[in-house]
Amino acid sequence: MEVETKQNQEKKSNLANFFLSIKLKHIKLGYHYLVSSALYLLLIPFLLMMLAHLSTLSVEELFDLSNHLRFNFLTVVTCAASIVFIITLYYMSKPTKVYLVDFSCYKPKPSHKVTREHCFQIAAACGCFTEESLTFQRKILEKSGFGQMTYGPKGLTKCPQDQSIAEARSETEMVISGAIDELLSKTGVNPRDIGILVVNNSLFNPIPSLSSVIVNRYKLRGNILSYNLGGMGCSAGLISIDLAKHLLQVNSNSYALVVSTENITWNWYMGNERSMLVTNCLFRIGAAAILLSNRPSDRQRSKYQLIHTIRTNKGADDKSYNCVMQQEDENQIVGVSLSKDLMVVAGEALKANITTLGPLVLPVSEQLLFFATLVAKRIFKMKIDQYIPDFKLAFEHFCIHAGGRGILDELEKHLKLTPWHMEPSRMTLYRFGNTSSSSLWYELAYSEAKGRIKKSDRVWQIGFGSGFKCNSAVWHALRTVNPDKEKNPWVDEINDFPVHIPKVTPIVH
């Protein structure tokens, strides 16, 4: 009897909490709709008052009003001309619209697939790691959230490993040409029509540059504006988008090609410093190519319009600057060191980024709540938690850089996102691993393959990178994306996702 009583009490308590959460949800939604519609609610009484007043005028009074305006012809013309001038000035001062015509993500051949076990075997076979380092790498792989179908470069998967510049160049040329070939096929754009080229690859910058490799391969025109970005980390993809956007503002009737990738062959760490071993376990090959346009005629066929790019750089702070650093270990072996402060630094950079982004995208209702709690904490010294705006009211889709399971867990928690919102990022990490700056595009491709992108939807891409940087891009869907007409790395296997990802997946060896 006592057990039954306790169970009934628990059920009642859970039911009460459920009804309370439902009430709070509806109260918040009601508040949001009220504030968002406040302008219209205020205008309706004003319009009703005007109509009521006009309805009291007689026919003679209306004729008198018309004659008064006729005899003040100069005043009417001056007012009309002023209005036209102001409207023209407003539209001329608006920035040029930038459209995303289409994008593509490279999907390597099955021969490049690397299972968790294979990755561990590669590390064990190279003979340079201690038992402690191998154990550490195995634990990282087991908790990584990776599946068994990520891709690695040929130079590292064979024995002995080949880290030559020729092999590194071969890897990069393979992934970027694969992405660009598919993009040109999808869009039908003549390479000679591309006026701007931006390529980003943080850790591999050969001579000639990767942008020159693309110019040579596709015979791009001689006056192309070509840029090669290096050393800017996983957020460099959005930096490239921002750079292309600014170039399109001053170069009319142009196409901009943005290519994002990272090189794995050249940057495999062969030492035993723990902070440098993490990158060996997490990074995989991949690339994305994006075609942007400022041509008004391209709006009809484009997928998205670029609304905002927000860049946050915390490099002035020493802790932020040093948290991701390429350097030599005590044995003079080069690697990329990840500090234990990385998650804290990333959180601070994200906070600074969304503080700038929030007023541009959040509804007034959320901004008022944020401002109210800020005033209560700072001015009235009230002991309350700072209100975190509900970004689900501003965006339908979230593409968060698939840098690792920990980053995704933290952002899901702090932004109060649902598993549905996190699905593209988690499935990308599972299927392709951390492909650096291109991961955001594999995530958007996932949403397209699932048929989630509808006309007028808003997409928020968030990237993190060394320096330390946090960058955002906001896109507006110009049309509903039909997955049956899409060609991207997910379409032939999208029905297999989502999958359950265990917290730990033991490596059998």
Side-chain angles (χ1 to χ4, degrees):
M1 288 293 291
E2 289 182 6
V3 174
E4 289 181 3
T5 304
K6 287 182 180 179
Q7 289 177 344
N8 290 332
Q9 287 177 347
E10 287 179 1
K11 287 180 180 178
K12 289 180 180 179
S13 176
N14 292 334
L15 198 61
N17 291 334
F18 171 75
F19 282 122
L20 180 61
S21 66
I22 291 293
K23 289 177 182 177
L24 288 174
K25 178 181 177 181
H26 285 299
I27 290 171
K28 187 172 181 179
L29 281 175
Y31 162 75
H32 167 63
Y33 291 135
L34 176 65
V35 174
S36 300
S37 307
L39 180 61
Y40 302 104
L41 295 174
L42 291 172
L43 282 175
I44 289 172
F46 178 72
L47 292 173
L48 291 175
M49 289 172 61
M50 284 185 62
L51 291 172
H53 178 69
L54 290 173
S55 66
T56 61
L57 298 178
S58 63
V59 177
E60 291 79 8
E61 289 173 324
L62 288 173
F63 273 113
D64 289 341
L65 180 61
S66 176
N67 289 330
H68 178 73
L69 291 175
R70 187 188 308 163
F71 290 121
N72 288 273
F73 178 74
L74 182 62
T75 304
V76 174
V77 170
T78 303
C79 290
S82 300
I83 292 171
V84 171
F85 175 76
I86 291 171
I87 293 173
T88 304
L89 187 66
Y90 169 74
Y91 279 103
M92 288 181 66
S93 63
K94 289 182 69 176
T96 301
K97 293 181 179 179
V98 175
Y99 305 110
L100 190 158
V101 181
D102 213 331
F103 68 96
S104 65
C105 301
Y106 179 66
K107 186 175 185 178
K109 294 178 181 179
S111 59
H112 285 273
K113 283 185 180 178
V114 178
T115 64
R116 291 185 299 271
E117 287 76 14
H118 189 191
C119 186
F120 182 73
Q121 289 167 7
I122 291 169
C126 73
C128 59
F129 300 118
T130 64
E131 283 299 320
E132 291 78 9
S133 294
L134 288 172
T135 300
F136 176 73
Q137 290 181 78
R138 188 181 73 247
K139 289 180 179 179
I140 294 293
L141 287 167
E142 290 177 340
K143 297 178 181 179
S144 64
F146 283 18
Q148 297 287 61
M149 296 187 292
T150 60
Y151 300 98
K154 285 293 185 182
L156 296 183
T157 55
K158 61 186 179 182
C159 189
Q161 294 174 329
D162 184 356
Q163 287 188 275
S164 66
I165 193 168
E167 190 66 35
R169 186 186 291 273
S170 175
E171 175 204 330
T172 297
E173 290 182 359
M174 174 187 70
V175 297
I176 61 178
S177 62
I180 296 173
D181 287 348
E182 183 178 300
L183 179 65
L184 295 177
S185 174
K186 290 165 72 172
T187 60
V189 169
N190 187 329
R192 299 285 297 178
D193 292 334
I194 297 171
I196 299 166
L197 172 63
V198 184
V199 183
N200 66 267
N201 187 317
S202 290
L203 294 171
F204 182 60
N205 293 285
I207 299 173
S209 67
L210 297 178
S211 59
S212 295
V213 169
I214 294 171
V215 170
N216 176 261
R217 179 182 177 87
Y218 296 95
K219 308 306 176 188
L220 303 184
R221 64 197 200 200
N223 64 343
I224 190 169
L225 301 176
S226 174
Y227 298 86
N228 203 92
L229 306 183
M232 306 193 82
C234 300
S235 68
L238 294 184
I239 295 175
S240 298
I241 293 292
D242 181 67
L243 174 58
K245 179 190 78 171
H246 283 87
L247 291 169
L248 287 170
Q249 297 301 311
V250 293
N251 293 275
S252 60
N253 202 37
S254 294
Y255 284 115
L257 174 62
V258 175
V259 182
S260 296
T261 188
E262 190 54 84
N263 186 276
I264 311 303
T265 302
W266 191 248
N267 298 288
W268 179 268
Y269 173 62
M270 306 292 280
N272 289 283
E273 180 65 41
R274 280 201 173 192
S275 63
M276 297 180 177
L277 287 169
V278 177
T279 56
N280 283 5
C281 304
L282 297 184
F283 284 93
R284 297 292 186 270
I285 61 173
I290 305 96
L291 186 68
L292 303 177
S293 172
N294 59 9
R295 301 182 180 190
S297 59
D298 279 324
R299 178 184 172 86
Q300 293 300 317
R301 69 174 185 138
S302 296
K303 286 184 174 180
Y304 306 93
Q305 179 181 337
L306 181 58
I307 306 301
H308 302 293
T309 51
I310 305 296
R311 293 173 56 178
T312 301
N313 193 320
K314 304 289 286 184
D317 175 67
D318 289 343
K319 184 171 69 173
S320 299
Y321 174 76
N322 290 302
C323 72
V324 181
M325 179 73 68
Q326 185 180 29
Q327 58 189 14
E328 296 166 325
D329 64 13
E330 59 182 12
N331 295 314
Q332 306 304 303
I333 301 173
V334 177
V336 177
S337 173
L338 304 181
S339 166
K340 293 180 180 179
D341 297 324
L342 180 60
M343 296 303 297
V344 175
V345 167
E348 292 172 352
L350 175 66
K351 188 185 299 182
N353 190 269
I354 63 177
T355 299
T356 304
L357 179 67
L360 300 175
V361 298
L362 286 170
V364 177
S365 58
E366 289 299 292
Q367 295 188 49
L368 288 176
L369 285 173
F370 179 80
F371 180 73
T373 56
L374 185 65
V375 170
K377 281 176 65 72
R378 298 288 176 84
I379 298 178
F380 297 103
K381 306 299 181 183
M382 295 176 65
K383 294 182 179 179
I384 58 173
D385 292 331
Q386 179 64 54
Y387 179 72
I388 299 175
D390 187 358
F391 280 92
K392 296 190 293 295
L393 295 172
F395 304 106
E396 284 74 33
H397 308 283
F398 296 79
C399 297
I400 301 167
H401 168 53
R405 192 176 206 152
I407 290 177
L408 298 182
D409 289 344
E410 287 298 312
L411 264 70
E412 179 179 9
K413 174 184 175 183
H414 290 295
L415 294 177
K416 297 180 179 178
L417 301 179
T418 66
W420 187 89
H421 291 110
M422 296 299 300
E423 188 179 306
S425 299
R426 292 195 185 281
M427 294 305 106
T428 295
L429 185 67
Y430 176 85
R431 177 63 182 84
F432 294 97
N434 181 352
T435 61
S436 190
S437 57
S438 65
S439 69
L440 298 174
W441 301 102
Y442 286 87
E443 294 164 20
L444 185 55
Y446 179 90
S447 294
E448 290 186 352
K450 277 291 184 183
R452 295 181 177 183
I453 304 296
K454 310 299 181 184
K455 185 177 180 179
S456 298
D457 280 0
R458 298 154 298 179
V459 181
W460 182 17
Q461 291 181 316
I462 313 169
F464 298 92
S466 58
F468 191 84
K469 296 178 284 292
C470 175
N471 301 317
S472 292
V474 177
W475 303 91
H476 173 79
L478 298 176
R479 58 182 171 89
T480 298
V481 178
N482 184 350
D484 295 331
K485 297 180 179 180
E486 283 301 304
K487 182 181 180 182
N488 73 41
W490 295 96
V491 290
D492 58 346
E493 54 186 273
I494 193 62
N495 293 328
D496 298 333
F497 295 92
V499 298
H500 172 67
I501 305 175
K503 292 291 183 183
V504 179
T505 306
I507 290 178
V508 180
H509 67 283

